[in-house]
């Protein structure tokens, strides 16, 4: 799915080289907001190819985009063997979501892990209805999945009913199934689903920032070490990592580093 955030400007806009970004679907709201403001100020077009974190990292490695977007930290083999570099743009809570009709309001991390590994299979065992729990997750290579499984200690153990390719698909699926549970970027959560409190703490900018909401991960910009960005890409990189961008990042639902 190719999303293009562009604003047609005037003057010498046609002569300005566009900036290409590729990766995490969870970062769409943040990158969209930053791109819109940057384009309005500079007339430089920013494109966003929403392929998932793993694909975005690979696109940088292969020189197919200027800046990769990942909702997980780079792994050692990516940084060292492939010469990639990460810059943390913001932090994002991973909301545990259920259908609004589900009476369950709160789970702790240990219980969430037991649900996703198949140890707990019925909602009645955690204070809900007598119904089988339908486990919704993301596809292999997703930064959201990597973050969730790492934090919950469930890597390679989850018994997913469905593995979906975008944050939006997870939200839509959970919102249409009263027995489903899923996880999604806090910045993308809509009122079609209900975010659970985890260990008594609700996901919010404040609880992500102070660390009390434990299911969280970084939003990362990925570049190639030793490879100079184009002038347009460097301007965009400098802008989105500046203090001036913090308010936009916050309004988009993520927690700015600065």
């Amino acid at each position: 799915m190719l999303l293009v955030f562009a604003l047609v400007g005037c003057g010498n806009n046609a002569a300005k080289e566009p900036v290409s970004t590729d990766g995490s679907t969870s970062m769409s709201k943040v990158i969209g907001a930053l791109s819109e403001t940057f384009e309005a100020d500079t007339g430089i077009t920013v494109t966003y190819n929403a392929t998932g974190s793993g694909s975005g990292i690979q696109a940088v490695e292969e020189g197919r985009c200027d800046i990769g977007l990942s909702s997980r930290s780079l792994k050692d083999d990516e940084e060292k063997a492939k010469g990639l570099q990460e810059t943390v743009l913001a932090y994002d809570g991973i909301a545990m979501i259920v259908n609004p009709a589900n009476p369950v309001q709160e789970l702790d991390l240990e219980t969430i892990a037991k649900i996703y590994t198949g140890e707990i299979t019925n909602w009645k065992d955690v204070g809900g209805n007598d119904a089988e729990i339908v486990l919704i997750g993301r596809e292999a290579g997703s930064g959201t999945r990597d973050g969730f499984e790492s934090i919950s200690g469930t890597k390679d153990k989850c018994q997913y009913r469905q593995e979906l390719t975008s944050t939006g698909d997870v939200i839509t699926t959970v919102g249409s199934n009263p027995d489903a549970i899923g996880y999604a970027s806090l910045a993308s959560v809509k009122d079609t689903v209900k975010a659970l409190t985890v260990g008594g703490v609700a996901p919010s900018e404040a609880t992500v920032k102070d660390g009390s909401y434990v299911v969280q991960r970084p939003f990362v910009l990925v570049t190639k070490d030793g490879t100079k960005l184009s002038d347009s890409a460097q301007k965009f990189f400098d802008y989105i990592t500046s203090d001036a961008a913090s308010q936009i990042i916050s309004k988009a639902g993520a927690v700015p580093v600065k």
Side-chain angles (χ1 to χ4, degrees):
M1 174 180 171
L2 179 65
L3 301 179
V4 179
F5 300 95
L7 184 66
V8 178
C10 56
N12 64 350
N13 183 52
K16 295 178 180 178
E17 188 177 358
V19 181
S20 60
T21 68
D22 190 311
S24 171
T25 64
S26 298
M27 292 176 68
S28 61
K29 193 172 181 181
V30 170
I31 291 299
L34 291 169
S35 299
E36 184 177 0
T37 305
F38 176 75
E39 290 167 3
D41 289 345
T42 65
I44 299 172
T45 299
V46 179
T47 63
Y48 164 49
N49 194 14
T51 59
S53 297
S55 295
I57 292 167
Q58 186 176 0
V60 174
E61 180 195 350
E62 296 174 355
R64 292 186 283 108
C65 73
D66 295 307
I67 300 169
L69 308 172
S70 176
S71 50
R72 64 166 174 81
S73 295
L74 290 178
K75 299 172 183 176
D76 287 344
D77 61 339
E78 291 167 337
E79 284 190 280
K80 295 173 183 176
K82 299 176 181 177
L84 301 181
Q85 181 173 318
E86 71 171 49
T87 302
V88 178
L89 176 69
Y91 291 94
D92 177 56
I94 301 176
M96 302 306 306
I97 57 173
V98 296
N99 188 281
N102 192 322
V104 173
Q105 302 287 338
E106 195 272 338
L107 295 171
D108 59 32
L109 195 59
E110 182 181 358
T111 301
I112 291 168
K114 288 180 179 179
I115 288 172
Y116 267 88
T117 56
E119 188 174 340
I120 296 174
T121 60
N122 195 299
W123 281 112
K124 70 179 180 181
D125 295 327
V126 292
N129 299 321
D130 184 3
E132 181 185 359
I133 301 172
V134 178
L135 300 178
I136 307 299
R138 288 291 305 279
E139 82 287 5
S142 158
T144 311
R145 172 169 168 167
D146 184 85
F148 167 74
E149 292 185 353
S150 296
I151 294 163
S152 61
T154 59
K155 195 167 183 62
D156 300 324
K157 300 175 185 176
C158 291
Q159 305 295 312
Y160 295 112
R161 174 78 62 85
Q162 288 181 272
E163 299 178 40
L164 304 175
T165 58
S166 76
T167 295
D169 287 344
V170 171
I171 292 170
T172 298
T173 301
V174 173
S176 63
N177 188 335
D179 301 325
I181 185 171
Y183 47 78
S185 167
L186 175 60
S188 301
V189 171
K190 303 175 182 178
D191 58 9
T192 55
V193 294
K194 177 174 66 177
L196 301 175
T197 61
V198 177
V201 181
S204 69
E205 179 177 339
T207 59
V208 171
K209 184 174 286 187
D210 68 20
S212 59
Y213 184 76
V214 296
V215 193
Q216 60 170 281
R217 43 70 187 277
F219 278 169
V220 171
L221 306 175
V222 183
T223 52
K224 203 160 190 178
D225 197 22
T227 300
K228 190 176 184 295
L229 291 173
S230 68
D231 289 344
S232 293
Q234 188 63 58
K235 284 180 182 177
F236 181 61
F237 186 94
D238 291 343
Y239 167 68
I240 64 178
T241 56
S242 70
D243 291 340
S246 295
Q247 188 173 2
I248 297 169
I249 293 171
S250 183
K251 283 184 177 179
V255 178
V257 170
K258 296 187 176 180

